[in-house]
Amino acid sequence: MSVSTAASAQSVRAPLPVLGRDVTVPLVTGGEVTYAALDYAASAPALQRVWDDVAAYAPYYGSVHRGAGYLSQLSTDLFENARATIAEFLDCRPDDQLIFTRSTTDSLNLLAAVLPADCQVFVFETEHHASLLPWKDAQVSYLDAPRTPAQAVATLDAALAGRDGHGPALVCVTGASNVTGELWPVRELAAAAHAHGARIVLDAAQLAPHHPVSVRDLDVDWVAFSGHKLYAPFGTGVLAGRADWLRAAEPYLAGGGASRTVTRRADGSVAVEWHETAARHEAGSPNVIGAYAVASACKALTEAGFDTLVARERHLIEKVRAGLAEVPEVRVLSLFGDDAPRVGVLSFVVEGWNSSHFAAALSAEYGIGVRDGLFCAHPLVRTLLGSDPQSQGECGAPEAAPGEKSLNAIRVSFGAGTPDEHVERFVTAVRQLVRDGAKWHYHTENGRCVPTT
């Protein structure tokens, strides 16, 4: 093997350093083990680079905008430079606005709040609730789950062709499913939307941590994502895209920072002139550290190189899929089929097990953290699982009401900070639990499956 080839192979195997990589947790069977965090799709661990950057800035933290002091001016520059860094990461157009929010959910609710009157919204039933639910004040068409990427495009095209009138319309679609990890045909869906005079917003919460996201290349009108899935804690989200609807609407939140001038009228009322920049929808003191953390994560991922990150993740995906394929009792959930490209997110069920019970055993007996349930994508998971209830086992699903059929799945997710050992331990644990059963007894407590003490 040449030196360059050896270096390339090593880069595929080497994870980016993250916080918590050396944390040990107790096992119910005795002893401790290094925690295997395999729930990246919910919240990814913070990159060490992000944490170090934030720690270096923390002593200089100050108020943002309009402060005369040195720390205030420094913090303002840092905040606005973070905005520019993230816009570059997303390959935004020159006239796009980038607004800091609290999360993907907040970003999409903001967009829902600025929709023009009589706007029609088209959204697949397969979306995360963050994309599925914010459009309550619009005329919404919920589209059936497609079974191929081509069917997704054809379904949207037909729905848009049959819509009432020629007023404003918006399509909301995920880039990568938070349930199956499968990649959606975003560029083709954007082309279909624009062909019918509609706009499109991309929920990139699960895509941005794993693949490059280019607003221009994908030709989407807006993109939304969350810092906490992009290895950046502190609760910041982003909405970036076309400015016209954002400028025309009333501010998402009314308050300081969103207003340019406020005056009293002669009749005693208040007159407000709102900003037309991103500040219009960023009322209140901004989350400077959160914005800086997202920008730091964007820089770290860019410098690591998405080609390298994607290659390494495919290596981990192949390990997990090959290991699960050796266990006949395991069924991996999929919309588009086994060969569909995906990010490091897989959901599955195990014959003879309730998924909550299985996930609890992975945690308590092996120190492996996964997610169980319906993953805030209830219509999609119910479609994938069908109507057959799982074995109740010793614990039920957290979403199941008393007497309700238990219907839930297990999700394993990983990314740039995951070492090979974690996915190898996970595959081994699945095999052992299916073969030998749990070593401990479990019960339902406060809606969760927990070890019995």
Side-chain angles (χ1 to χ4, degrees):
M1 181 182 288
S2 68
V3 172
S4 60
T5 303
S8 175
Q10 180 61 30
S11 69
V12 170
R13 290 192 293 269
L16 289 179
V18 294
L19 292 183
R21 58 190 179 275
D22 298 323
V23 168
T24 60
V25 295
L27 300 181
V28 71
T29 51
E32 292 188 341
V33 67
T34 303
Y35 184 64
L38 296 179
D39 193 16
Y40 276 45
S43 284
L47 289 174
Q48 185 69 55
R49 155 78 175 272
V50 171
W51 196 259
D52 291 344
D53 283 350
V54 168
Y57 161 64
Y60 301 94
Y61 172 78
S63 63
V64 173
H65 298 147
R66 296 172 302 284
Y70 177 81
L71 296 190
S72 178
Q73 293 181 43
L74 185 147
S75 294
T76 298
D77 287 345
L78 182 142
F79 184 67
E80 294 302 336
N81 286 337
R83 195 191 306 273
T85 296
I86 299 166
E88 182 179 2
F89 177 78
L90 295 172
D91 192 25
C92 289
R93 299 164 290 250
D95 56 349
D96 283 341
Q97 281 191 358
L98 190 147
I99 298 170
F100 287 116
T101 65
R102 295 175 295 176
S103 59
T104 307
T105 301
D106 196 32
S107 295
L108 294 173
N109 275 270
L110 189 164
L111 187 60
V114 306
L115 294 181
D118 302 321
C119 186
Q120 298 179 60
V121 175
F122 296 82
V123 57
F124 286 93
E125 68 170 351
T126 48
E127 292 291 312
H128 186 282
H129 294 171
S131 305
L132 192 71
L133 302 180
W135 321 105
K136 57 185 181 299
D137 295 328
Q139 178 185 336
V140 187
S141 294
Y142 296 104
L143 309 180
D144 292 341
R147 286 299 182 170
T148 65
Q151 187 181 26
V153 177
T155 298
L156 177 63
D157 186 73
L160 290 171
R163 73 186 179 103
D164 297 331
H166 301 283
L170 177 71
V171 176
C172 181
V173 67
T174 189
S177 170
N178 79 303
V179 176
T180 67
E182 293 165 317
L183 298 176
W184 278 62
V186 177
R187 188 180 293 105
E188 292 80 1
L189 291 167
H194 294 152
H196 293 283
R199 299 190 182 190
I200 186 167
V201 57
L202 169 63
D203 175 353
Q206 299 297 339
L207 183 63
H210 304 275
H211 283 262
V213 174
S214 169
V215 168
R216 281 190 265 205
D217 182 52
L218 295 173
D219 197 23
V220 294
D221 297 281
W222 293 276
V223 60
F225 72 92
S226 295
H228 70 97
K229 299 186 191 299
L230 195 79
Y231 311 99
F234 307 111
T236 291
V238 168
L239 177 68
R242 301 197 180 278
D244 54 348
W245 287 7
L246 296 165
R247 287 176 179 152
E250 289 293 301
Y252 180 50
L253 297 173
S259 56
R260 187 194 302 273
T261 62
V262 180
T263 58
R264 290 290 300 277
R265 296 189 181 97
D267 63 2
S269 62
V270 173
V272 184
E273 180 185 357
W274 303 107
H275 281 293
E276 293 190 355
T277 62
R280 184 184 189 90
H281 299 291
E282 291 179 345
S285 295
N287 183 354
V288 186
I289 288 181
Y292 184 44
V294 174
S296 174
C298 291
K299 287 180 181 178
L301 293 173
T302 300
E303 291 168 7
F306 269 107
D307 287 345
T308 298
L309 296 174
V310 169
R312 183 173 182 282
E313 187 169 295
R314 285 175 181 159
H315 160 76
L316 296 179
I317 293 170
E318 289 168 5
K319 271 182 175 288
V320 173
R321 293 187 63 191
L324 294 181
E326 294 176 354
V327 185
E329 293 84 355
V330 170
R331 177 167 73 92
V332 175
L333 305 182
S334 175
L335 270 176
F336 300 153
D338 290 342
D339 295 330
R342 69 178 72 220
V343 299
V345 179
L346 295 93
S347 295
F348 63 98
V349 291
V350 182
E351 182 183 345
W353 284 80
N354 178 271
S355 294
S356 296
H357 187 193
F358 199 89
L362 285 173
S363 174
E365 300 178 26
Y366 296 91
I368 298 171
V370 297
R371 180 64 57 108
D372 66 278
L374 300 176
F375 317 127
C376 291
H378 293 190
L380 170 57
V381 180
R382 291 182 184 279
T383 294
L384 294 172
L385 292 180
S387 58
D388 293 334
Q390 299 179 37
S391 294
Q392 186 63 25
E394 297 180 61
C395 307
E399 288 87 357
E404 183 184 23
K405 287 182 177 180
S406 180
L407 200 64
N408 61 331
I410 306 151
R411 183 181 70 191
V412 57
S413 54
F414 41 87
T418 305
D420 283 43
E421 187 275 328
H422 286 186
V423 299
E424 290 164 358
R425 195 198 319 167
F426 164 75
V427 169
T428 299
V430 170
R431 186 181 300 116
Q432 290 178 352
L433 280 172
V434 171
R435 184 190 64 207
D436 303 329
K439 299 182 181 71
W440 209 260
H441 290 291
Y442 298 81
H443 67 280
T444 302
E445 184 176 298
N446 297 324
R448 295 298 310 170
C449 188
V450 297
T452 299
T453 56

